Amino acid sequence: MIDYVGVAERILREKTNRCLGRVRLKRLRSTDFTVISNNCWAGTVYRYFNLPYLSPTCGLYFFAEDYVRFASDLRRYVTLPLEFIDARDSSHYEELVGKGEENKVVAKIADIEVVFLHYSTAEEAEEKWRRRVERINWENLFVKFSQMNGCSDDNIRKFDSIDFPNKICFTAKPMKDVECSVFHPSSVRNGQITNDTDRFRQNFDLFGWLNSAAAVYR
């Protein structure tokens, strides 16, 4: 089911980000922040403020269990090499076929996989990944997750247990026992969020989050 209001919101926002971004920036404590996300949400945030991408997690996504591992040991994973594989060799191949994404660029980082959704070649994906890894601000880091791409309640609780203060998780249902959860009711199907980038601030104070105390990722 298409969220037409969300689609319209995204189209209008993308058309006005360039001129309104500088106005929104005035409400931020700092413009030097890194958002790590499980999908394209990080890129949406940077475009909202008309800022350069200071995160490698733009234009791509992870399946849920892979992302929890990635976020749990972020400093190590971003230093490891990308090993590009044929999507047919992906452990998530059936899911990729179901999404119509069996021709997307896929890479392994040790025991996890990354789907480079918006990159046409492995060379482009690696160049942008490496360049943006160098831009990470480890002194002002924000980590976001969503209940999508095979995300279980256990994945969410493991993410919630990561010892990092500036983290959020958009969930397809209220989860009062999860401290970092933010209920995201739009675009929910079969217990999963199908789209969190159209209404990317739903039920969430983005400015308050980015203006919270700077946190160092150990």
Side-chain angles (χ1 to χ4, degrees):
M1 183 177 179
I2 299 175
D3 176 12
Y4 291 102
V5 173
V7 171
E9 180 180 308
R10 169 175 49 81
I11 292 172
L12 179 61
R13 182 177 68 244
E14 295 291 349
K15 287 184 176 180
T16 57
N17 279 340
R18 185 174 295 275
C19 61
L20 294 182
R22 63 175 68 96
V23 178
R24 296 168 183 145
L25 284 176
K26 295 178 180 179
R27 296 175 58 187
L28 293 183
R29 175 185 58 82
S30 170
T31 61
D32 185 11
F33 58 85
T34 289
V35 175
I36 298 296
S37 65
N38 60 298
N39 64 349
C40 302
W41 192 86
T44 299
V45 171
Y46 289 113
R47 291 194 303 278
Y48 186 66
F49 295 106
N50 197 29
L51 288 172
Y53 292 167
L54 303 184
S55 167
T57 61
C58 300
L60 54 81
Y61 72 88
F62 300 77
F63 285 90
E65 188 170 344
D66 287 344
Y67 181 71
V68 174
R69 290 178 186 166
F70 177 74
S72 297
D73 199 2
L74 182 60
R75 280 190 181 272
R76 182 177 72 90
Y77 277 111
V78 298
T79 65
L80 297 176
L82 295 172
E83 177 191 347
F84 290 93
I85 62 173
D86 191 298
R88 288 172 294 185
D89 296 323
S90 168
S91 59
H92 305 292
Y93 181 63
E94 291 185 6
E95 293 95 327
L96 291 171
V97 171
K99 292 169 171 280
E101 296 172 357
E102 64 270 26
N103 294 317
K104 296 300 180 181
V105 176
V106 180
K108 293 186 69 174
I109 308 176
D111 58 341
I112 67 172
E113 294 181 12
V114 187
V115 182
F116 288 91
L117 186 64
H118 297 299
Y119 302 102
S120 56
T121 66
E123 291 75 16
E124 179 190 15
E126 180 157 32
E127 189 277 327
K128 290 188 176 179
W129 172 271
R130 289 301 167 203
R131 173 154 47 92
R132 292 166 184 168
V133 164
E134 294 299 319
R135 296 176 180 173
I136 294 175
N137 182 356
W138 296 103
E139 305 296 318
N140 197 21
L141 195 66
F142 300 82
V143 185
K144 170 264 179 191
F145 188 27
S146 279
Q147 191 170 10
M148 55 173 44
N149 295 318
C151 182
S152 67
D153 288 1
D154 185 54
N155 293 146
I156 293 170
R157 293 190 173 94
K158 285 181 179 178
F159 178 77
D160 193 45
S161 70
I162 296 173
D163 186 18
F164 187 78
N166 292 342
K167 63 179 183 289
I168 57 164
C169 181
F170 293 125
T171 57
K173 61 186 177 184
M175 297 185 70
K176 295 182 179 179
D177 62 318
V178 176
E179 186 176 354
C180 70
S181 70
V182 176
F183 179 39
H184 193 281
S186 67
S187 302
V188 172
R189 184 178 181 182
N190 297 326
Q192 299 280 292
I193 297 171
T194 60
N195 184 322
D196 65 2
T197 54
D198 285 352
R199 302 198 198 197
F200 80 111
R201 297 189 300 143
Q202 188 174 46
N203 291 340
F204 176 59
D205 179 7
L206 177 66
F207 290 91
W209 190 52
L210 294 177
N211 284 330
S212 57
V216 179
Y217 197 97
R218 302 294 180 185

